[in-house]
């Protein structure tokens, strides 16, 4: 068997000599810091979920009908009549939510350990482009089941472009292809969701990984691995404090993959709707332009940005400021490499002010998610009997908006004018328990 595999490998290498050097560069000869911790699982998990979404999506398209009259029934047909169709559909819907879980945690790790700082600015920018494309991909996929929440969610989100001066109404009709979400909307969203955006997403992922492997991975200490004559135990010309990605981190990541798949399987088999968070109850009824859901809200992974849109009041008779705030919340994340001018990368050695500000960012983001999902509106009557729900919710939501945007303003002032007092940074990576 070994001889046969060896001959097969030699045959392949003779006809495609460029593949083996590429494999070595990105796997066996790519050295990663040896002090990676739990936070470094989420990059590989995001790649795993991406593969799941592509494979399950291919099978779903085999029975889906891109027609306003047939879309909802085709999803029901997949769930009820196609063999194992319910499993594939739940793998896809659960995978969409878990995709954002791992991406949010992956982004938080980057902010926490300074992975956006020089020389990794391009890696961060490509990651933010992936995030934007992923949001567009998720939104268009959310519309395709053509349930009632899909219909009204599409109408509300697309209508946001109507706030753009002069061209807003024309742009809304151009996107939908009609005056309301209809057949043309489904057809173009299906084409973008199944073909165009996945191709862009795959290209960006490849560029993201290629850029990362050019500059090397960051680590929890935020210091570069050392090069020199002492090297490491494998070879004197290789980095110190680093180990080959394969087989060491591929084996380690396989443990994280196994644990992640157990969680995903539990959700798929026992709680596929996740209490209405992963699949909204209103989306189990067909789209109806005459029946508005009691609470129109997007999927949970959009709710923090939706809350920013809602909480910023209209000025001069236009709601464009809320739209600017919603997109500005994402843009500020992309500008973080230039807003944060601190010399230290990792939160382990940064000043107390940065740590507190990072905590405020996390709390504000999670709280805005609850506001956008309508959870706070349900809790306010129990916590503040007799209080006006709208007034309290607006006050709380706007405070959280200030907390979110305040993080970026504070970090720029804190680092730009030298207020940050950092701890001594070690010369080489450390192995913390």
């Amino acid at each position: 068997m070994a001889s046969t595999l060896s001959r097969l490998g030699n045959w392949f290498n003779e006809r495609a000599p460029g593949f083996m050097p590429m494999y070595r560069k990105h796997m066996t000869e790519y050295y990663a810091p040896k002090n990676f911790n739990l936070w470094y699982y989420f990059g590989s998990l995001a790649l795993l979920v991406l593969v799941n979404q592509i494979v399950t999506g291919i099978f779903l398209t085999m029975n889906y009908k891109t027609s306003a009259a047939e879309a909802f029934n085709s999803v029901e047909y997949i769930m009820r009549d196609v063999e194992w169709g319910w499993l594939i559909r739940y793998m896809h819907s659960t995978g969409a939510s878990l995709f954002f879980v791992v991406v949010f945690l992956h982004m938080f790790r980057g902010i926490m350990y300074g992975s956006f700082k020089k020389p990794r600015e391009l890696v961060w920018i490509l990651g933010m482009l992936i995030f934007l494309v992923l949001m567009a991909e998720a939104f268009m996929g959310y519309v395709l089941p053509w349930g009632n929440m899909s219909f009204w969610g599409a109408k509300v989100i697309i209508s946001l472009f109507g706030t753009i001066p002069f061209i807003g109404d024309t742009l809304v009709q151009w996107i939908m292809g009609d005056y309301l979400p209809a057949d043309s909307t489904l057809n173009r969203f299906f084409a973008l969701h199944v073909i165009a955006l996945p191709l862009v997403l795959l290209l960006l992922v490849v560029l993201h990984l290629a850029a990362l492997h050019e500059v090397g991975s960051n680590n929890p200490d935020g210091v570069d691995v050392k090069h020199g004559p002492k090297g490491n135990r494998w070879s004197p010309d290789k980095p110190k404090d680093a180990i080959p990605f394969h087989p060491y981190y591929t084996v380690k990541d396989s443990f994280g993959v196994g644990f992640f798949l157990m969680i995903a399987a539990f959700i798929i088999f026992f709680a596929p709707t996740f209490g209405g968070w992963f699949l909204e109850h209103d989306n189990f009824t067909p789209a109806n332009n005459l029946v508005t859901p009691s609470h129109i809200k997007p999927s949970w992974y959009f709710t923090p940005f939706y809350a920013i849109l809602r909480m910023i009041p209209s000025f001069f008779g236009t709601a464009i400021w809320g739209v600017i705030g919603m997109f500005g919340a994402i843009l500020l994340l992309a500008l973080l490499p230039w807003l944060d001018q601190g010399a230290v990368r990792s939160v382990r050695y940064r000043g107390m002010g940065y740590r507190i500000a990072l905590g405020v960012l996390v709390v504000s983001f999670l709280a805005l998610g609850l506001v956008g999902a309508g959870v706070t509106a349900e809790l306010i009557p129990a916590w503040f009997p007799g209080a006006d729900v709208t007034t309290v919710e607006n006050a709380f939501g706007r405070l959280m908006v200030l907390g979110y945007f305040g993080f970026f303003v504070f970090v720029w002032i804190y680092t730009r004018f030298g207020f940050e007092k950092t701890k001594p940074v070690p010369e080489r990576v450390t192995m913390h328990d």
Side-chain angles (χ1 to χ4, degrees), residues 168-323:
D169 293 338
T170 303
L171 184 60
V172 169
Q173 293 177 24
W174 179 76
I175 293 172
M176 287 194 297
D178 208 327
Y179 295 103
L180 289 173
D183 277 351
S184 54
T185 315
L186 269 181
N187 279 309
R188 58 191 59 186
F189 276 25
F190 180 79
L192 291 170
H193 180 75
V194 173
I195 301 173
L197 291 179
L199 291 176
V200 175
L201 192 58
L202 287 172
L203 173 63
L204 288 172
V205 169
V206 170
L207 293 176
H208 183 65
L209 292 174
L212 173 66
H213 286 198
E214 286 298 320
V215 296
S217 299
N218 191 29
N219 58 81
D221 284 316
V223 298
D224 295 325
V225 295
K226 304 302 180 187
H227 294 71
K230 292 184 179 180
N232 57 32
R233 73 178 195 173
W234 284 276
S235 177
D237 60 344
K238 298 301 182 183
K240 292 189 290 187
D241 307 322
I243 54 178
F245 185 82
H246 178 74
Y248 297 98
Y249 278 118
T250 51
V251 171
K252 182 179 180 180
D253 285 349
S254 64
F255 171 79
V257 166
F259 189 77
F260 176 80
L261 290 177
M262 287 197 307
I263 296 175
F266 179 84
I267 296 173
I268 290 169
F269 289 109
F270 295 101
T273 66
F274 212 71
W277 286 89
F278 286 8
L279 287 173
E280 291 86 347
H281 302 308
D282 283 320
N283 237 19
F284 286 94
T285 57
N288 189 339
N289 62 355
L290 300 178
V291 178
T292 308
S294 55
H295 300 287
I296 300 177
K297 58 183 184 295
S299 297
W300 70 267
Y301 35 81
F302 294 139
T303 52
F305 306 104
Y306 178 65
I308 293 174
L309 168 72
R310 284 181 50 205
M311 290 299 111
I312 296 179
S314 300
F315 295 102
F316 309 110
T318 177
I320 194 172
W321 306 105
V323 177

Side-chain angles (χ1 to χ4, degrees), residues 81 111 174 267 344 381 391:
D81 296 328
I111 298 174
W174 179 76
I267 296 173
V344 175
T391 302

Side-chain angles (χ1 to χ4, degrees), residues 111-118 218 220-223 340-351 354-355 415 420-426:
I111 298 174
M112 184 168 59
Y113 292 142
S115 298
F116 55 86
K117 287 180 171 290
K118 184 181 178 180
N218 191 29
D221 284 316
V223 298
D340 184 356
Q341 300 182 26
V344 175
R345 292 176 184 154
S346 176
V347 71
R348 289 179 175 179
Y349 310 106
R350 301 203 64 163
Y354 183 85
R355 297 184 181 193
T415 57
E420 185 175 26
K421 304 300 180 184
T422 60
K423 298 178 181 179
V425 179

Side-chain angles (χ1 to χ4, degrees), residues 375-403:
V375 174
T376 52
E378 297 175 358
L379 295 177
I380 287 172
W383 290 358
F384 304 97
D388 182 69
V389 173
T390 302
T391 302
V392 176
E393 184 185 39
N394 286 346
F396 177 74
R398 288 167 184 170
L399 179 64
M400 294 300 103
V401 170
L402 289 175

